[in-house]
Amino acid sequence: MKASLEKLVAQLNEQRRHFSTPCYIYSLKDVANNYRKLKDSLGTSLIYSLKANSCLDLIVRSGHVFEDGIEIASIGELNLLPRGESPRYINNPSADKSFLRAAIASKCTLVIDNLSQLEIVKEFQGKRPINPLILRLNPSTLDQFEESTTVTKKDHFGLGWGDVESALAFCKENDLKVGGFHVFRGSYNFSKLANSTAQAALQIVHKFESALGYPIGLVNLGGGFDLNWESHEFDFEHYRNLLGEFPSHIQIAHESGRALMASAGYFVTEVRYVKSIEGQQYGVCDGGMAQNFLLAKTESTFKRYSQPLILREGRVLEGDSKPQNCLLVGTSCNKEDIIGETKGVALQPGDLVIFSNCGAYNASYTVAPFLSLPSAKSYLME
Ligand SMILES: *Cc1c(COP(=O)(O)O)cnc(C)c1O
């Protein structure tokens, strides 16, 4: 059993009353380890993408871990964060004037999505210091620099290449300093696309510097690491060598949410009732999709429910491969509110159900105030 899960089980056993269910429990140590491991493998800066998990206590307590900065996508997230020393990047196609103003006032670095945002930034010029701007490049801008054509899904983020050229000219003309660029080719795509992204980015550095007439400082190559990034056969050494070809004045960064947070979080709910309908067993829990939307797998066509660990009176019950299963259902009156299943364990009221890998998007990507159900509490452990 993973060390943090073992610790969690011990804490639930010793201090059950301390935890109100349903709840998320995050391991500070796992967050720090995940960050270190990924950053060391990449050999670059690593920015935390806040939308994966914005639990304030967790971010504050992990603030020192995210030494290369945090990326924020909304004014709500900006207001959430206490001011700190590490850089803040704000990045959202819909960022409006008041968000951009607030971001400049709190010394964030702006990642510019479109030419209209650039016009707004120009209005603020001279009123407050503005950090060198980062231009967000749409993934399609890489195509022209790639040797082999990689087929990726289109998205609406950032500037197309024509607009990149206009933006560079606009910044030069108006004395808006450009610090570099940022490209993100979507979640889960790192191992497939990283090498070609880096090769294209290397050429884009030269395009930027010759258009601007001065060196840029930052290239953010995006991320797209999945939870199990370590188990893929990706040659990090080769990748680090490739990154070594960037000019030494360039700081290279990657960014991640999922890979840093997912495995650091657990979701715990208690079984209230057990019943059976036409031979199908159900465990009715005190938490469900209203606190952990992703577990209900509403976005997958073929649902494979997570199989949680069961804790009963201090003992961990192991399931087996018996076909008889029990579906774990939540509190929302929605027939999709099935968050997991157990096999080979006859559930009882009072059992605690512990789901692993719930640290990224499970809490933040949950549709909150349905039926005025209580939200999940969050706890931290060392
Ligand atoms: C959401 C997002 C990320 C984080 O994606 P993960 O899959 O959680 O690593 C990184 N960069 C940008 C621009 C994003 O919007």
Side-chain angles (χ1 to χ4, degrees):
M1 201 187 282
K2 208 176 142 183
S4 56
L5 181 55
E6 229 165 78
K7 191 183 272 181
L8 169 60
V9 165
Q11 291 196 3
L12 284 168
N13 282 336
E14 284 158 25
Q15 308 172 294
R16 170 65 187 92
R17 267 176 303 154
H18 172 77
F19 296 94
S20 135
T21 52
C23 62
Y24 287 93
I25 301 171
Y26 300 116
S27 161
L28 292 163
K29 200 172 183 178
D30 284 354
V31 173
N33 286 342
N34 289 346
Y35 184 88
R36 261 298 126 213
K37 260 190 301 183
L38 183 54
K39 179 164 170 162
D40 289 348
S41 300
L42 293 165
T44 69
S45 299
L46 182 58
I47 295 164
Y48 171 51
S49 177
L50 184 70
K51 71 180 190 290
N53 186 320
S54 46
C55 170
L56 182 57
D57 288 349
L58 178 59
I59 306 310
V60 170
R61 296 280 304 275
S62 304
H64 62 288
V65 173
F66 304 131
E67 58 199 7
D68 301 324
I70 297 181
E71 183 167 271
I72 299 162
S74 74
I75 200 162
E77 289 186 340
L78 179 64
N79 292 335
L80 180 79
L81 286 185
R83 294 197 180 184
E85 291 308 309
S86 67
R88 306 280 155 84
Y89 299 90
I90 74 115
N91 185 352
N92 190 322
S94 73
D96 63 357
K97 199 165 177 173
S98 62
F99 182 20
L100 292 170
R101 182 192 292 113
I104 292 171
S106 39
K107 301 190 172 68
C108 295
T109 294
L110 309 180
V111 182
I112 297 294
D113 178 84
N114 56 63
L115 296 175
S116 309
Q117 287 182 347
L118 214 45
E119 303 265 357
I120 296 173
V121 173
K122 183 175 169 288
E123 291 176 41
F124 295 129
Q125 201 178 11
K127 300 195 176 115
R128 284 193 189 256
I130 300 174
N131 290 332
L133 302 171
I134 307 300
L135 303 186
R136 172 101 180 240
L137 309 191
N138 185 266
S140 67
T141 58
L142 303 175
D143 296 348
Q144 59 183 310
F145 302 104
E146 284 184 323
E147 285 148 23
S148 57
T149 39
T150 30
V151 184
T152 49
K153 275 204 190 129
K154 285 189 182 175
D155 69 42
H156 62 276
F157 299 103
L159 301 148
W161 189 254
D163 283 357
V164 172
E165 289 179 330
S166 307
L168 291 172
F170 182 89
C171 289
K172 194 164 180 205
E173 199 176 295
N174 292 288
D175 265 332
L176 282 167
K177 182 98 198 270
V178 176
F181 63 88
H182 171 185
V183 61
F184 177 62
R185 298 177 101 180
S187 292
Y188 303 114
N189 276 330
F190 177 78
S191 52
K192 193 170 77 185
L193 300 176
N195 286 297
S196 64
T197 304
Q199 266 151 1
L202 193 51
Q203 299 174 62
I204 293 173
V205 169
H206 299 302
K207 293 271 181 206
F208 265 58
E209 295 190 340
S210 61
L212 294 165
Y214 56 83
I216 58 170
L218 179 78
V219 171
N220 182 340
L221 294 172
F225 309 97
D226 60 52
L227 173 63
N228 302 312
W229 61 272
E230 270 181 300
S231 63
H232 297 304
E233 283 178 23
F234 181 81
D235 187 345
F236 277 97
E237 195 183 337
H238 175 267
Y239 185 59
R240 287 192 300 270
N241 286 334
L242 175 60
L243 299 184
E245 292 177 26
F246 279 78
S248 60
H249 63 268
I250 302 261
Q251 177 197 356
I252 304 174
H254 290 82
E255 64 200 359
S256 169
R258 198 179 311 275
L260 304 182
M261 288 301 189
S263 66
Y266 298 93
F267 180 70
V268 182
T269 173
E270 187 178 304
V271 177
R272 272 192 188 148
Y273 309 111
V274 178
K275 66 178 182 178
S276 171
I277 302 172
E278 300 285 336
Q280 174 64 60
Q281 290 246 319
Y282 293 96
V284 184
C285 302
D286 63 3
M289 76 189 318
Q291 295 84 14
N292 193 334
F293 184 69
L294 289 184
L295 283 182
K297 313 274 178 196
T298 56
E299 295 176 22
S300 340
T301 28
F302 179 69
K303 300 185 198 214
R304 267 188 68 209
Y305 294 112
S306 304
Q307 296 191 26
L309 185 141
I310 309 298
L311 188 60
R312 177 180 303 160
E313 288 161 7
R315 281 186 315 124
V316 173
L317 304 184
E318 306 275 354
D320 57 31
S321 55
K322 284 203 191 83
Q324 172 66 9
N325 72 340
C326 177
L327 293 175
L328 294 156
V329 303
T331 53
S332 74
C333 312
N334 182 328
K335 71 181 171 53
E336 302 290 323
D337 197 351
I338 300 170
I339 55 166
E341 67 176 330
T342 60
K343 287 187 173 165
V345 177
L347 280 182
Q348 290 176 11
D351 287 350
L352 286 179
V353 182
I354 305 173
F355 291 92
S356 297
N357 297 325
C358 285
Y361 301 105
N362 293 80
S364 63
Y365 191 64
T366 287
V367 192
F370 186 53
L371 291 183
S372 302
L373 290 163
S375 58
K377 297 264 184 317
S378 295
Y379 303 95
L380 305 182
M381 55 183 182
E382 291 300 327

